[in-house]
Amino acid sequence: MKRLFILLFLCSLTAVMGAVEVPQVTNVLSRESMSLNGQWHYIVDVQEEGYYDYRMNPTRWGFFRNAKPQRPEDLIEYDFDKSPTMQVPGDWNTQDEKLFFYEGTVWFKTSFQAQVPIENYRTILYFGAVNYDCRVWVNGHEAGHHVGGFTPFNFDVTEMLQNGENTVIVKVDNKRKAEAVPTQIFDWWNYGGITRDVLLVRVSPTYIENFKLQLEKADAKARQREITMTARLNKPMAGQKLTLKIPELKVKQQCTTDAEGAARLTVRVPAKRLSLWSPDNPKCYRTELSLDGKAADGSAVSDFVADEIGFRTIETRGKQLLLNGQPIFLRGISIHEEKANGGGRANCTADAHTLLSWAKELGCNFVRLAHYPHNEYAVREAERMGILVWSEIPVYWTIAWKNPETFKNAERQLTDMIRRDQNRANVIIWSIANETPHSAERDQFLGRLAQHARSLDTSRLISMAMEVTSASNYKNRLQDNMNAHVDVVSFNQYIGWYRDVNDAPKMQWEIPYDKPVIISEFGGGAKYGLHGPANQRWTEEFQENLYRQNLQMIEKIDGLAGTTPWILKDFRSPRRVLNGIQDYYNRKGVFSDKGEKKKAFYVLREWYEGKK
């Protein structure tokens, strides 16, 4: 009875003190915040004893519920303060050798000092990403639950904070599941952990939740250009004044919110004053949006958010891809979010800069960030470096197409990807899937995703990596019902790797759609430093020859607008086990996992030099 009373008391307290998951806060990196990154204590919980009882029912009050539990016996076998620490953000696989292959639950705890209450402010607990299923407690009270490993989420924890020491405890579970997104089987390392930033963000009670700017398409001879702004407050408050400033463009214009707390504004600037963002000119403008109004009780309502935003247009005309109205060829490469030298989840600007510098050295103006949304620092660094981006959600291979919860998961990840990066000028393609087998259920699932993406953003193109169906031995035909939903036709092909490289010169390609074409993957494996004849698999010479043959074949494809070969660098994959060659690495990189250039690198770079 005593145990039941404690359970009921704690549950009722949680209900009173409960946090609220709130939508993404626009440009969270520019707001006043305190980083919770650093060394967190962790406990490996193979059987999830900290959350379930022995019948696998959630206890809801177990020994991880409180940072300082009510009963000492609760921590006889588990004590955070006696547990080791690891770096957050980071993955557990490369920080604890015992966890290299581990998939399951790990608990994390950190403490911080705070002074509360802070009048006229709310506090948001922000996670850049946690892979994959996580539950969060603040000072022993459950803040919330999130599913999905590559997009940000946050909770309003204002009422949970206390003066002095505060604790955050996170239950992280990276077990693969058939109904998840990605699904049970995928070809990259399932890095577990709190893999991106953790921040405490201070906001006003009424704040600018979301704002987006986009340059409207116009005739090349237009003397003025239109920039459209849409914004939304976190509350449905009408009549609140928003002021948009772009000082360098001499823009200062106001608008007011409607009953939903939303506002829209169109500003016009002289065309010759506006410098358009492009790979050759990655120009961004400081943009400021301020809120200045009054609540119903007469109290002041104010907020301010700033960002560096570039302006450009992207569109298609027949089989051409047009950036700022001019044809462009996308000299690309695919990239996984893995550190440049040795592996582990990449999560900072320095990681991104190294990888993107390798891409620039290759001659790239475009990267495919596969197969999930990469961290925000990577997208922003690519923008600063003048690199266009394809961003993708992990709808990969065989998804549970008929499961409504799976669709909701995919739709949420798509929404969060778009909301986070909607003001990044370099992002030109939202990708909704990779190599998905054809079926009516799949078409409906992906068609709904494409429609949802367009409802959120009309300023970018929609694509996906399709599969090719062979009509005959040397004639490949792309036939996919999703052609009606995408703006750019993209597909993966591995002639020379999964088919004889000598077939490449004989190949014909039939792509019956009047749309630009991107070869989203091609390539083959080689171990750096392994040399031999061009027909000996795994040698650098084999990969070099494969690239030569494929590039000659690809050159003949009608409507070719770009390529993103697979892949920039060797990356870890549990499917790639060949001892002495792969050793749990996918060896298709033109760089080794340690950044060494393979011979194929020079072949691709030479080809790209001819595409400038």
Side-chain angles (χ1 to χ4, degrees), residues 442-443 454 464 466 478-489 512-515:
R442 170 265 204 178
D443 291 349
R454 293 190 196 284
M464 58 179 282
M466 300 176 177
L478 184 66
Q479 191 165 359
D480 194 314
N481 293 336
M482 286 302 297
N483 79 85
H485 297 276
V486 299
D487 302 298
V488 178
V489 175
Y513 312 120
D514 188 30
K515 297 181 178 183

Side-chain angles (χ1 to χ4, degrees), residues 213-381:
L213 272 75
Q214 68 182 55
L215 180 67
E216 299 300 323
K217 299 178 180 65
D219 185 271
K221 298 179 180 180
R223 305 177 84 175
Q224 285 194 322
R225 300 301 299 265
E226 290 187 350
I227 297 172
T228 301
M229 184 204 76
T230 56
R232 178 177 293 275
L233 306 183
N234 66 315
K235 297 177 181 178
M237 296 178 65
Q240 305 305 306
K241 185 187 299 182
L242 289 169
T243 302
L244 174 68
K245 293 182 181 179
I246 312 176
E248 193 174 346
L249 294 177
K250 296 181 172 54
V251 169
K252 182 180 179 181
Q253 200 161 326
Q254 293 182 340
C255 59
T256 56
T257 60
D258 61 19
E260 300 300 316
R264 183 180 176 89
L265 179 66
T266 298
V267 298
R268 294 174 177 84
V269 297
K272 60 183 178 181
R273 184 187 300 168
L274 184 63
S275 182
L276 301 183
W277 188 99
S278 72
D280 295 327
N281 178 47
K283 170 67 176 177
C284 290
Y285 293 89
R286 179 172 173 81
T287 303
E288 303 169 355
L289 186 63
S290 57
L291 168 65
D292 182 16
K294 288 187 177 181
D297 62 2
S299 61
V301 172
S302 65
D303 191 30
F304 175 84
V305 63
D307 203 350
E308 298 290 325
I309 297 178
F311 300 104
R312 58 96 192 99
T313 61
I314 187 72
E315 58 191 316
T316 65
R317 182 174 60 205
K319 295 190 175 186
Q320 283 188 317
L321 192 64
L322 305 179
L323 178 68
N324 298 326
Q326 299 299 315
I328 186 171
F329 186 85
L330 301 177
R331 308 186 305 272
I333 194 74
S334 295
I335 303 179
H336 260 300
E337 190 186 60
E338 194 170 83
K339 288 182 181 293
N341 297 296
R345 180 64 71 208
N347 52 38
C348 64
T349 298
D351 290 339
H353 185 79
T354 300
L355 293 169
L356 294 168
S357 294
W358 293 355
K360 290 280 282 189
E361 189 177 358
L362 185 59
C364 295
N365 61 5
F366 178 59
V367 291
R368 178 188 179 204
L369 300 182
H371 284 294
Y372 38 77
H374 288 213
N375 68 83
E376 185 170 357
Y377 297 112
V379 179
R380 286 179 176 270
E381 186 64 10

Side-chain angles (χ1 to χ4, degrees), residues 391-426:
S391 191
E392 188 165 288
I393 57 172
V395 176
Y396 183 92
W397 291 356
T398 306
I399 293 290
W401 307 116
K402 299 179 184 180
N403 187 331
E405 293 304 313
T406 302
F407 179 81
K408 289 180 183 178
N409 186 341
E411 185 180 54
R412 168 70 187 268
Q413 293 190 49
L414 179 62
T415 300
D416 290 343
M417 174 179 72
I418 292 174
R419 289 296 187 220
R420 191 194 72 182
D421 294 333
Q422 62 190 358
N423 284 323
R424 304 281 63 82
N426 60 329

